[in-house]
Amino acid sequence: MALAAVEIASIEQELESFDDVSQAYAALRQRYPHLAWVRCDSSDLTETPFCSIRQFDLHLLDSADHCVRITDDPRRATGIVLAKRVAGP
C-alpha cells in the first residue's frame, strides 16, 4: 500500500503540534491504523530520515517482501518509524 502525499503532509502537520513522542505515536497510530508504526530514538537508526519535523525524524517502512526494510519511496511504504531526536552527551 502506497503512502499518499496528502497523508505524509497530514502526518507532518500533526507532528508540529506534539512535543511528546509517546503522545504523537499514540495519536498517529489511531489516526492511521492501516500503517505499521514503530517508535524509537533517532540514535537507533543509521539511515537518513525521509523527513524531519521539529524533534522527530520519519523513516518509511517497506514490508511488501518477507523482510521489513527502510525505504525512501512513499509508493513502497507500508509503515512509519517515528524517531525522536535526542541530544548527545
Side-chain angles (χ1 to χ4, degrees):
M1 167 184 271
L3 186 58
V6 68
E7 285 181 300
I8 294 170
S10 179
I11 290 167
E12 290 174 349
Q13 184 177 4
E14 287 187 55
L15 280 175
E16 290 288 344
S17 65
F18 288 102
D19 291 320
D20 180 72
V21 69
S22 297
Q23 291 175 349
Y25 178 76
L28 291 169
R29 279 188 63 187
Q30 184 174 12
R31 181 155 166 89
Y32 303 96
H34 63 285
L35 296 172
W37 287 89
V38 176
R39 184 181 80 184
C40 66
D41 289 338
S42 60
S43 61
D44 295 331
L45 299 163
T46 58
E47 296 85 359
T48 301
F50 175 75
C51 66
S52 296
I53 301 96
R54 296 182 61 200
Q55 74 272 24
F56 303 107
D57 290 335
L58 289 183
H59 298 266
L60 303 181
L61 292 174
D62 174 4
S63 62
D65 298 324
H66 69 281
C67 293
V68 176
R69 63 185 180 92
I70 301 288
T71 183
D72 61 355
D73 184 356
R75 296 171 298 173
R76 300 219 19 112
T78 57
I80 293 180
V81 176
L82 179 61
K84 173 141 170 81
R85 285 193 303 278
V86 292

